[in-house]
């Protein structure tokens, strides 16, 4: 959208409590776009995880109203341009709070904190007056597609609240052989054979998520909010695993697709899944024994030996 077109529209900044916003939504005073339940669940988990500490940040909503609809105060009806998933998350969260308070569940303390948060916290809404439907749609696209997203490397480096990102950052900076093998920081995947880094940062985080959950998940950040081990225990465990890998084959060559078959990410992640099979809930004193599955036989071989590799993989891992 051309900036001068927006400049001609009247804009106001209004603020209302989250609970008021939910009530407007339920009463039909707020029109929203299509709800993405996966995104809504992610926002709900963020609110739940940080309710007790109140370390929560939510950007302003963006909405439009009919021109002159509220000449003497806040707009009575709004059409949400950006913020549908946040509003839906607030509404679903209110339902969860009411259920928890009525049933007297164990999470009642958290429910009270969330109830207080919903009533006492306000959210800002930037309201454009008199936008056409076409202008609303274009502004929505501009806000969601043209804004520069935070790079994954920055999210992992600076995110101190998500355990998965904290552990990934620690492993990335403390395991010397992993540094030698190489971790691609700018791209989410590795283009072989030109890129000889062993893993991308996104792939490393996925592997670490397997140690925390026992499975490979698409939305791994949502699955690690509750983990049986401490961060330091996971870091120790992953160091043990990486040490075992790099004892088998030189770290500096493991990302070379012509020399080492673990340069194939599907195979790399398959091995991680194997050694973590049914281990995710085991204490740290037991889980290192998973390394007993490994024996130092030449199951990591060159590309010319793919058939022997396929035959020997089971024997090599199990001994």
């Amino acid at each position: 959208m051309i900036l001068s077109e927006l400049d001609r529209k009247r804009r106001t900044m209004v603020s209302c409590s989250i609970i008021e916003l939910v009530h407007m939504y339920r009463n039909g005073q707020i029109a929203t776009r299509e709800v993405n339940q996966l995104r809504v669940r992610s926002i709900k988990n963020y609110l739940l995880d940080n309710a007790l500490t109140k370390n929560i940040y939510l950007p302003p909503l963006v909405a439009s109203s009919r021109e002159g609809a509220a000449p003497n105060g806040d707009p009575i009806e709004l059409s949400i341009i950006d913020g549908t998933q946040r509003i839906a998350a607030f509404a679903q969260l209110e339902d969860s709070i009411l259920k928890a308070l009525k049933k007297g569940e164990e999470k009642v303390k958290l429910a009270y904190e969330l109830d207080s948060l919903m009533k006492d916290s306000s959210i800002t809404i930037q309201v454009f007056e008199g936008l056409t439907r076409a202008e609303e749609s274009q502004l929505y696209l501009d806000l969601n597609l043209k804004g520069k997203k935070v790079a994954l490397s920055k999210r992992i480096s600076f995110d101190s609240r998500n355990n998965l990102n904290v552990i990934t950052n620690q492993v990335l900076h403390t395991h010397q052989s992993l540094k030698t093998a190489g971790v691609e920081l700018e791209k989410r995947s590795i283009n072989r054979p030109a890129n000889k880094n062993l893993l991308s940062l996104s792939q490393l985080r996925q592997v670490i998520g397997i140690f925390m959950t026992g499975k490979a998940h698409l939305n791994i950040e949502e699955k690690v909010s509750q983990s049986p081990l401490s961060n330091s225990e996971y870091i120790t465990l992953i160091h043990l695993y990486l040490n075992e890998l790099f004892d088998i084959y030189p770290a500096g060559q493991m990302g070379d697709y012509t020399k080492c078959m673990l340069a194939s990410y599907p195979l790399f992640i398959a091995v991680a899944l194997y050694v973590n099979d049914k281990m995710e809930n085991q204490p740290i004193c037991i889980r290192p024994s998973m390394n007993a599955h490994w024996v130092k036989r030449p199951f990591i071989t060159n590309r010319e030996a793919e058939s022997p590799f396929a035959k020997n993989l089971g024997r090599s891992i199990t001994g």
Side-chain angles (χ1 to χ4, degrees), residues 257-261 300-310:
Y257 201 55
T258 64
K259 297 179 179 180
C260 179
M261 298 192 76
I300 302 176
T301 180
N302 58 38
R303 296 292 295 175
E304 296 175 356
E306 285 194 52
S307 295
F309 169 80

Side-chain angles (χ1 to χ4, degrees), residues 142-170:
D142 290 348
L143 290 170
N144 286 278
L145 298 180
K146 293 186 178 181
K148 185 177 180 180
K149 294 184 178 180
V150 178
L152 180 63
S153 58
K154 297 294 189 295
R155 286 170 53 195
I156 291 176
S157 297
F158 298 112
D159 187 355
S160 61
R161 291 183 292 194
N162 183 278
N163 287 340
L164 176 61
N165 289 338
V166 171
I167 294 168
T168 302
N169 190 47
Q170 288 294 314

Side-chain angles (χ1 to χ4, degrees), residues 41-58:
R41 188 181 301 119
S42 177
I43 296 171
K44 282 173 59 181
N45 288 339
Y46 170 72
L47 295 170
L48 289 167
D49 291 343
N50 297 283
L52 294 179
T53 61
K54 297 184 179 179
N55 292 323
I56 295 173
Y57 169 74
L58 293 169

Side-chain angles (χ1 to χ4, degrees), residues 8 33-34 64 78 81 88-89 106 149 165-166 198 213 222 263 269 277 289 297 305 316:
R8 289 196 291 268
R33 294 177 177 270
E34 184 177 353
S64 69
L78 294 174
I81 296 172
E106 292 181 2
K149 294 184 178 180
N165 289 338
V166 171
L198 177 59
T213 67
E222 299 178 12
I269 205 169
D277 185 37
S289 66
R297 297 183 184 179
S316 300

Side-chain angles (χ1 to χ4, degrees), residues 211 229 232-245 274-296 317:
F211 279 82
L229 304 183
S232 61
E233 287 175 323
Y234 280 119
I235 291 169
T236 299
L237 190 63
I238 294 158
H239 270 253
L240 287 171
Y241 175 70
L242 292 175
N243 289 344
E244 197 72 27
L245 275 185
Y274 174 84
V275 299
N276 282 280
D277 185 37
K278 299 178 182 178
M279 285 282 186
E280 63 272 12
N281 293 317
Q282 297 297 329
I284 186 66
C285 61
I286 294 176
R287 288 187 66 172
S289 66
M290 69 183 181
N291 288 309
H293 291 307
W294 291 78
V295 292
K296 295 181 176 67
I317 292 178

